Amino acid sequence: MRFVIVFFFLISYIGCSQSLKEIYDKSIEAYAQQNYTQFKELNIEALKIHPSQPTFLLNLARAHALTNEPQEAYKLLHKLISWNVGIDLNKEKDLEEIWNDKKSATRLRASITTYTAPVAQSNPYFEVSSAYHLEDLALLGNNFFLTDIRKGKVLRYNIQKNHVEEWCDLSAAAMAILVDESQKRLWVSSAMLPQYYKYKSEEDNKGKIYEIDAVTGNVITEIILSEKAVVGSMVMHKNEKIYATNSLSPEILIVNTKSKKEEARIEVKGAFNLQGITMDSNTDKIYIADYIKGIVQVDLLNLQDQVWLTSNDYLLKGIDGLNFVNANTLIAIQNNTTPKKVIQIRHSSGNVNEIKLLDNALDHKGEPTNGKYYKNLGLFYIANSAWPAYDKAFILMPNETENQVIRLIKDF
């Protein structure tokens, strides 16, 4: 049993919840004493705190196998495979019974094949030079506006002319972008990140939100966030408030677009690392992707009403971009998975009913990040953002860079 390897997945959570580390230690002791019933119970307890933690999921699968519950073990292995086909499960001694069962082994290998195979429901729409590191995009009229991490630019791509230009300069990495309801303003977040070519350590993670004239590119307002924040995704509610995710702390930032001030910070209970945010068509709910845990639905009339989507078959980890399609459908961009993918999520009453692969294992060096869904057009998304292309000193490595590709998925 290779606890040393699986413990790597757990180490990043110790600071978030010491109780998880305590439960883990007790579970390892129970395993060493061959008390497999207690080993199972402790992993179940841990998963109540953190339902998507891979170490506990794998150890619970082992526990089920060791307590003569092979079908329960099989279900958990299938779920882990949906997230990472690279986990070498068939060499685990405790799981030999699962792999020796022809029916279970055949199904697991079929799942590995499914999640490994390339799927391309999208097509390339346009490209941007590898000199940039794209993060988010928004469409307004005949122009796409794209944010650039490396140079702190907002780029403008004219569809008719097939031309990209540097349109607006910010003083840090440009991140999330949205168009307001008037179609006259763009709102862009920025943060001082080490990937930014003029990085200043004394301003590390200092966050801002800019209001920009959509015609001229002139900055109208610069809102300095009250505390350090990396805003990776934003939505606008009735042209009055921006709801934004802070990846530094599990909280929603609320910015008043009339007063041009940060209004509040709301904790997302049980969250770890917030990324994508999207709003339903009735503008009364938001959905937020937690990179570590999954997806949470938040009621805007009562921000403490927070419901996590649950799935028995699929691990909703590593989601960056998130888009609302209709009352029962979301599109998620997963880049902390093996392989990276774009998925369609069908859900109801807090339960995930179906997952469909839209794009999977595409031949790009970078990773998919964010995009926007437009009802009559489809999903435009950045397919190969340059996050993996930096060395330890945060210098872009020429051999790892490529033109940034925006892809379009039309049909769902």
Side-chain angles (χ1 to χ4, degrees), residues 187 209 223-227 229 231 235 237-244 251-267 300 303:
W187 296 80
I209 294 179
I223 302 170
I224 299 175
L225 300 176
S226 63
E227 299 176 22
V231 170
V235 291
H237 183 261
K238 298 181 179 178
N239 227 32
E240 297 177 351
K241 293 183 180 181
I242 290 173
Y243 291 87
E251 59 191 7
I252 305 165
L253 305 184
I254 303 176
V255 174
N256 190 305
T257 60
K258 305 302 180 184
S259 67
K260 314 295 175 67
K261 293 181 180 179
E262 181 183 330
E263 194 172 272
R265 295 189 177 212
I266 306 298
E267 180 188 5
L300 290 180
L303 293 171

Side-chain angles (χ1 to χ4, degrees), residues 1 6 22 64 68 81-82 106 117 169 214 217 229 242 253 280 286 294 302 311 337 340 381 383 388 393 407:
M1 188 173 186
V6 299
E22 293 168 352
H64 281 306
N68 198 30
I81 287 168
S82 74
T106 299
D169 286 314
I242 290 173
L253 305 184
D280 74 341
I286 52 177
N302 177 10
S311 174
T337 57
K340 300 171 178 63
Y381 79 96
R407 301 182 72 99

Side-chain angles (χ1 to χ4, degrees), residues 7-18:
F7 186 72
F8 172 79
F9 294 106
L10 180 65
I11 196 72
S12 60
Y13 307 113
I14 293 173
C16 299
S17 179
Q18 185 64 28

Side-chain angles (χ1 to χ4, degrees), residues 126-189:
F126 68 95
E127 294 185 7
V128 173
S129 166
S130 61
Y132 302 104
H133 170 184
L134 301 185
E135 175 65 7
D136 199 6
L137 60 81
L139 175 63
L140 177 58
N142 291 319
N143 294 303
F144 277 95
F145 295 89
L146 307 107
T147 56
D148 165 53
I149 296 287
R150 186 62 179 167
K151 298 182 179 181
K153 308 287 186 181
V154 178
L155 308 178
R156 181 169 66 178
Y157 169 76
N158 186 283
I159 299 171
Q160 294 176 329
K161 297 179 181 179
N162 189 26
H163 175 70
V164 178
E165 62 180 333
E166 294 183 354
W167 183 71
C168 180
D169 286 314
L170 305 183
S171 59
M175 302 192 69
I177 186 169
L178 58 82
V179 180
D180 72 8
E181 292 180 6
S182 74
Q183 306 284 287
K184 296 179 180 179
R185 300 284 186 269
L186 298 176
W187 296 80
V188 180
S189 69

Side-chain angles (χ1 to χ4, degrees), residues 9 13 35 64 73-74 84 92 112-113 122 140 166 168 186 188 194 212 217 234 245 256 296 309 365 374 376 396 405:
F9 294 106
Y13 307 113
N35 187 343
H64 281 306
Y74 160 79
N84 187 350
E92 295 286 347
I112 292 171
T113 299
S122 69
L140 177 58
E166 294 183 354
C168 180
L186 298 176
V188 180
I212 302 172
M234 307 185 295
T245 55
N256 190 305
V296 62
L309 300 191
K365 290 182 179 179
Y374 299 95
N376 297 323
L396 279 173
V405 180

Side-chain angles (χ1 to χ4, degrees), residues 228-231 244-253 265 273-274:
K228 289 184 176 183
V230 176
V231 170
T245 55
N246 181 8
S247 64
L248 291 184
S249 180
E251 59 191 7
I252 305 165
L253 305 184
R265 295 189 177 212
N273 182 258
L274 303 183

